[in-house]
Amino acid sequence: MDIYQQIWDADQAANGIQPILADWQGDAARGYVKVATTAMEDEDVRILTDLVIPDKKKADL
């Protein structure tokens, strides 16, 4: 396994938020960010359509 995969795996296991397609069902316990995959001519299009961060992955600031 290369170093980049190891970094990705460690991030996802600890603080990482899984990127998923906008029409997928996310796991709120794990956290996710929904990403739109279709381009639209509307200037107000949102690429990241939803974000869920579980409390265990939020930093105490």
Side-chain angles (χ1 to χ4, degrees), residues 38-50:
T38 56
M40 301 170 75
E41 293 182 18
D42 183 356
E43 292 181 16
D44 194 32
V45 67
R46 306 230 188 278
I47 301 300
L48 304 178
T49 61
D50 191 18

Side-chain angles (χ1 to χ4, degrees), residues 2 5 7 10 12 19 23 29 39-40 42 49 51 53-54 57 60:
D2 67 38
Q5 186 65 51
I7 292 169
Q12 291 300 301
D23 58 346
M40 301 170 75
D42 183 356
T49 61
L51 171 66
I53 303 173
K57 290 190 176 188
D60 294 327

Side-chain angles (χ1 to χ4, degrees), residues 18-27 31-37 49:
Q18 180 185 29
I20 62 174
L21 297 177
D23 58 346
W24 290 10
Q25 178 91 14
D27 178 0
Y32 59 86
V33 59
K34 289 190 174 189
V35 181
T37 58
T49 61

